[in-house]
Amino acid sequence: MADPIHQFQIQKVIDLPDVTLPVLGTVDLAVTNSHIAMTAAFVVIVGFLAAVTSNAQVVPGRLQAAGEGVFGLIDNLADSIIGHEGRKYFPFVFTLFMLILGMNILGLFLTFTATSQLAITVTFALITFGLVLVVGFAKNGLGFFKLFWPMGAPLALRPVVGLIEFVSFLLRPVTLALRLFGNMLGGHVALKIFAGFVVSLGLLGLGGGVGLLAFPVAALSLGMVVALTALEFLVAFLQAFVFAVLACIYLNDVVNLDHAH
């Protein structure tokens, strides 16, 4: 059976000359399967949104209804969590959701899933964390640090609870990145393993004799592949949605800091 981790290896598709940059040093500019997967997701998303908005009708067709459904989902999400200022941050949350969803779903059709790479999920998490910091200091100044001084806790416990809150805040990008990375990695590894069982047991059964007993097990493995594939489509959506929800929650903490305290 082929190595189930092989599908996550970054491989060069087009090798380009290296470039030496100050501070960064030598940079390999090769086009990899990761670049192609991310570019493909971007093109599909832009194409989908362009098709949805190019010929908008009062009575939407299926494609327009699907686009408006996604738009409304994230718009309502930002509004319900962040409040009346949620519309300001809708473009960011919507972009995050669409990119992650596009990469997750496209990874089920390609041989490489961009969101199964920790570098990609960490980048999304750090961008979100950076925006939270910028918004937090821009709206609250040094009052941003009130986030780590829980007024609802007894005075004697506030330093301890505040320290826990501070550590938890610093760990947010880690949990954001690992949750998405772990779910995409684990699901694809399981799919690869069961698909490998189907092929291996099927070949064993073709040998005849006692090997024929492998066919029922191969059929069971095939059923697991179908079930896991359906589950992976659901996970692809849920992980993008959870990332968007958590981004809204983190933004709400700093946007409505005064109301929370």
Side-chain angles (χ1 to χ4, degrees):
M1 184 171 65
D3 180 8
I5 302 298
H6 179 74
Q7 61 183 311
F8 306 111
Q9 294 178 356
I10 295 179
Q11 299 174 351
K12 292 183 180 180
V13 178
I14 302 175
D15 199 2
L16 300 174
D18 294 347
V19 174
T20 302
L21 299 175
V23 180
L24 296 178
T26 302
V27 177
D28 189 349
L29 295 180
V31 176
T32 66
N33 51 352
S34 179
H35 293 130
I36 293 174
M38 288 187 286
T39 303
F42 173 77
V43 170
V44 169
I45 292 168
V46 171
F48 169 72
L49 294 177
V52 167
T53 57
S54 63
N55 190 26
Q57 303 290 329
V58 176
V59 179
R62 293 180 181 178
L63 187 63
Q64 184 180 338
E68 290 179 355
V70 175
F71 185 96
L73 174 70
I74 304 302
D75 185 45
N76 292 334
L77 177 69
D79 184 66
S80 62
I81 295 178
I82 303 176
H84 68 279
E85 291 195 53
R87 188 60 62 83
K88 293 180 181 179
Y89 307 101
F90 166 79
F92 173 76
V93 179
F94 183 75
T95 302
L96 267 183
F97 174 79
M98 291 301 293
L99 282 174
I100 294 174
L101 180 63
M103 292 181 190
N104 288 353
I105 292 181
L106 204 60
L108 293 170
F109 297 96
L110 301 178
T111 58
F112 185 86
T113 306
T115 45
S116 67
Q117 294 294 313
L118 193 57
I120 305 300
T121 61
V122 166
T123 300
F124 281 127
L126 289 178
I127 290 173
T128 304
F129 186 68
L131 178 65
V132 170
L133 289 177
V134 170
V135 172
F137 281 109
K139 287 187 65 68
N140 307 288
L142 294 179
F144 170 77
F145 291 103
K146 290 191 295 183
L147 187 64
F148 314 115
W149 190 253
M151 299 299 292
L155 183 60
L157 293 178
R158 285 180 194 174
V160 177
V161 177
L163 179 61
I164 295 173
E165 289 288 339
F166 181 70
V167 173
S168 174
F169 181 81
L170 293 180
L171 289 177
R172 284 179 175 181
V174 177
T175 56
L176 274 176
L178 290 179
R179 181 182 291 105
L180 177 57
F181 159 75
N183 277 279
M184 301 315 297
L185 179 74
H188 283 62
V189 167
L191 270 176
K192 180 71 172 181
I193 290 174
F194 280 105
F197 283 157
V198 173
V199 176
S200 300
L201 293 172
L203 292 175
L204 181 62
L206 291 175
V210 180
L212 292 174
L213 296 175
F215 279 126
V217 184
L220 180 61
S221 296
L222 180 60
M224 287 298 299
V225 170
V226 174
L228 283 173
T229 300
L231 181 62
E232 278 296 282
F233 276 102
L234 178 62
V235 169
F237 171 79
L238 286 179
Q239 286 307 307
F241 185 71
V242 167
F243 204 103
V245 168
L246 292 177
C248 288
I249 291 174
Y250 298 157
L251 283 168
N252 175 66
D253 288 343
V254 295
V255 170
N256 300 306
L257 181 60
D258 291 333
H259 297 289
H261 288 71

